[in-house]
Amino acid sequence: MSVARVTEITASSTVSFDDAVAQGVARADKTLRHVEGAWIQDQKVVVRNGQIAEYRVNMKVTFVLAD
């Protein structure tokens, strides 16, 4: 039996939502062991001078604590 935990993180990118997700998962994987998946809870953009300046995602990352 495995025990898992879910933690919520926010990641951002100036390139795209996909890049924000990739950066968030990569960063979570550096800190958390056994990252199993991520659920994208929310997406939003930051607008400056009428242009999209930043893409942001709020995600829940699942990682296994014990097997």
Side-chain angles (χ1 to χ4, degrees):
M1 180 172 103
S2 296
V3 176
R5 182 174 171 107
V6 176
T7 188
E8 188 171 340
I9 65 170
T10 301
S12 64
S13 168
T14 57
V15 178
S16 67
F17 285 119
D18 286 342
D19 189 52
V21 171
Q23 287 188 38
V25 170
R27 178 60 180 92
D29 193 55
K30 286 182 181 179
T31 305
L32 306 171
R33 293 183 189 185
H34 312 292
V35 172
E36 294 284 323
W39 173 57
I40 308 309
Q41 185 177 6
D42 189 30
Q43 296 179 330
K44 68 178 185 175
V45 295
V46 175
V47 177
R48 292 190 188 105
N49 300 322
Q51 300 289 324
I52 295 174
E54 195 173 333
Y55 300 86
R56 291 185 182 167
V57 293
N58 290 332
M59 66 178 91
K60 292 189 177 187
V61 176
T62 304
F63 58 101
V64 175
L65 294 174
D67 287 329

